[in-house]
Amino acid sequence: MTTMQQFELKNAFSKVGLKVIDEATMSKCTAAATMLRLSPQQVATCWEAYSLKKNTTTLNEQSFEGFRDLLVKESNTVNNNIPMSDEHNNNNNKESPRGGAVLPPRSLPHVTPPAKRLQLAAVTNNTNTEPSSRRSSSLSPGPPVALQPSDKYETRIGAGQIVSTFTAEHKRTATNDNPLLSRPKCTIRSESSAFSTNNNNLSQAYRSLFTTTEQRATALDQQLIHMGQHLMEKYQLGQSDEVAPLEGVGIPRADQVCNIGRICNAAHYGKINATSVLLEGSRAAVGGARVAVDLSTLSSQYSVFPGQIVALEGMNPTGRKLQVQRLCEGAAAAPVTSRVRDLRQYHLQAQQGQPVKLLTAAGPFTTSDNFQYQPWQDLLHVVQNEQPDVVILTGPFVDMNHPAVQSGQTALQDEDGNDVIVPYETFFMHKISLLLEELLTENPLLMTQFVLVPSLEDATAEWVYPQPPFQDRVSGGLQPNIPGADGITIGTMGLDYVETATELPAKRVHCVPNPCTLQINEVVIGITSTDVLFHMSADETNANLPPGSRLARISQHLLQQRSYYPLFPPAPGMNMDYQYMEYWSMPCQPDLLLLPSKLACFSRIVMDTTIVVNPGRLTRDTMGGTYAIIEVHPFAKDVLETADDDDELPHALPERTEVIIKRI
């Protein structure tokens, strides 16, 4: 036990809202961390989970006894390679949000199906009439040469267990006794016109390394100016006597001033902290001048991160340091509303009084110790059983971090059992597309539509943010005339096979960009597959915040900054194209915000009207992960019938939505 260890542990505790702790208890915590081989961050995260479960904000010698039991359990979890965040979800969510009883696990848990239950769509009894030369019929999924199948996933415990819930305040009752409709009851629209294949500038969106410094600076300055205008409108800056007059950043004044600028880190390396905060003004107003920010004079709670555009009110008599007395963290867009005429069309006619059921899951879709995609097959069985209206899948689908991909072993087996190395698109076709086609072929009445969102970790996608939708590299595919390549189609991802799997005229697969804003009937959904929660949590400083609010406040930053990725500079490995940064802005405040992350899965209300959901990852290393089922109930029939056609109603999703996050 060293002074440095205690300092690191105190610092970690402070980040989760625990500021005051007596020396005796701190010594016990440090000794326990050393004995159990837990890092200060793991101990602090355990405390955050414990404090939420026990509804306490005090760590003393009495509460330490129960806290120590959780530390021991966490140590066993880490030693057994069970993901930490899953254990925390289990602890955090044993009680319902309303303090109810423990939620029972599903009576029929999802388990890995036998190998033959979900076969490739290219088997001989398939009724599809596509030519065999296009369908790669001589290949079947097989393990890569370098990886052997493992039974760790098959022997997992807790499959189908509920780990987190969000319950609607007023659950609506369906008005139709028959949930099976003869047509899709959802209309999906996407804000993806910027990536249309008819756009002549499409190829330029991929060339992030060709963006000049001047282009990036201009884009960032324009963002600062536009966000500054939103701040001025929201807080009446420069228009009210109750607010200090606007002044350029770094200009000395004897009286109080209000500065609008971007938060920066004074240190070129390392995480931002309360003593390294700078405020940068616009180039147009002050030539990009920066001033040091003193947050110690701020009595209220705050949370700041690099790239955040804020308004600061305070004193700056010397022009070198702004002593902050008020912080305006951002200006979210207004919540979305819809006309009653449209709501009647959606809820009474298309949905026939039934709720819209969504299912969302995030990759990776196979475990790291094999390439069998067992969790993906299990998820398709969930789709088959639950029959959701829309399934939203975020990448990676062919994960670049998978050992087999990194070693170039994306292999399929031919009829003779030989491993054949295939391109990423061909691998995607066999592992993702053909199993989707099989699902729809065997269930012709299934009306589910699928939304595919690429990831920067996808081997089959462009590695630049904002990210264009999935598309075939070679239109219609290409068959190379080389030995051993019989039946291999290069360039196609096979998604057109899914579209033609049944005679249903509606579109079944929607390929959208990352990030994207979808509208499913009236519900506006914001999605990004990039782990922005993890990136921002690693580079943020705060004070006076209530414990357990870290994930909610980071989600709130996205809404307040009107951006799916407000962090600047971005996290390592993020290839950002700042010429197109307008395409990762939020056009509105979404009703539902999907932020898949490696952090603890959750679902909660943010800024009164938006439900933020982190469904977690479908797989975590060699173990199974989680997915989410979301039901949005319609408005009450009497509400819609008594209102005028042109009345605008807020969507009020928190009052009519239920979210259940389950283990696969």
Side-chain angles (χ1 to χ4, degrees), residues 11 28 144 149 183 201 239 260 316 318 336 395 467 490 496 596 616 652:
N11 187 44
K28 290 183 178 181
R183 63 185 185 279
N201 295 324
Q239 305 173 32
I260 296 177
N316 185 14
T318 65
V336 185
Q467 198 169 22
I490 296 177
D496 55 330

Side-chain angles (χ1 to χ4, degrees), residues 120 135-136 139 141 412 426-432 434-435:
L120 284 177
R135 303 180 56 79
S136 305
L139 296 177
L412 301 173
T426 302
F427 196 82
F428 180 100
M429 178 176 64
H430 279 269
K431 297 296 186 178
I432 303 296
L434 291 186
L435 289 178

Side-chain angles (χ1 to χ4, degrees), residues 11 15 263-277 304-306 535-541 567-572:
N11 187 44
K15 293 176 183 177
I263 296 293
C264 301
N265 189 354
H268 293 291
Y269 302 98
K271 179 181 176 180
I272 194 172
N273 58 62
T275 62
S276 66
V277 178
V304 297
F305 61 91
H535 293 173
M536 291 179 64
S537 67
D539 201 2
E540 174 230 21
T541 184
L567 188 66
F568 180 81

Side-chain angles (χ1 to χ4, degrees), residues 386-406:
E386 296 285 348
Q387 297 193 10
D389 300 294
V390 180
V391 175
I392 300 175
L393 303 171
T394 61
F397 295 90
V398 181
D399 186 9
M400 288 195 301
N401 297 317
H402 195 284
V405 175
Q406 292 186 342

Side-chain angles (χ1 to χ4, degrees), residues 114-280:
K116 296 296 183 182
R117 286 177 65 184
L118 266 182
Q119 304 174 7
L120 284 177
V123 293
T124 55
N125 62 353
N126 195 302
T127 58
N128 198 296
T129 57
E130 288 289 330
S132 61
S133 60
R134 289 188 57 212
R135 303 180 56 79
S136 305
S137 59
S138 62
L139 296 177
S140 62
V145 177
L147 294 175
Q148 297 299 324
S150 169
D151 61 355
K152 290 184 179 180
Y153 176 77
E154 292 92 327
T155 58
R156 70 198 185 282
I157 58 175
Q161 178 184 2
I162 296 174
V163 297
S164 179
T165 61
F166 171 85
T167 305
E169 296 180 7
H170 305 290
K171 182 176 179 180
R172 305 298 182 188
T173 302
T175 59
N176 186 349
D177 294 332
N178 182 13
L180 296 178
L181 304 179
S182 60
R183 63 185 185 279
K185 60 184 178 182
C186 290
T187 301
I188 300 178
R189 291 175 291 278
S190 170
E191 296 288 337
S192 59
S193 58
F195 298 101
S196 169
T197 54
N198 296 324
N199 191 334
N200 295 328
N201 295 324
L202 179 66
S203 60
Q204 297 180 14
Y206 304 157
R207 303 174 63 183
S208 61
L209 298 180
F210 288 84
T211 305
T212 66
T213 303
E214 178 63 26
Q215 289 172 327
R216 285 181 298 194
T218 300
L220 289 167
D221 205 51
Q222 288 298 315
Q223 180 202 31
L224 174 54
I225 293 173
H226 292 159
M227 193 65 204
Q229 293 172 346
H230 295 313
L231 286 166
M232 293 170 62
E233 293 172 3
K234 179 177 178 61
Y235 299 101
Q236 298 295 303
L237 304 180
Q239 305 173 32
S240 172
D241 295 336
E242 298 179 359
V243 182
L246 286 171
E247 186 56 88
V249 172
I251 297 178
R253 286 290 183 269
D255 299 324
Q256 275 200 336
V257 296
C258 182
N259 291 167
I260 296 177
R262 177 181 284 107
I263 296 293
C264 301
N265 189 354
H268 293 291
Y269 302 98
K271 179 181 176 180
I272 194 172
N273 58 62
T275 62
S276 66
V277 178
L278 300 177
L279 186 70
E280 179 183 76

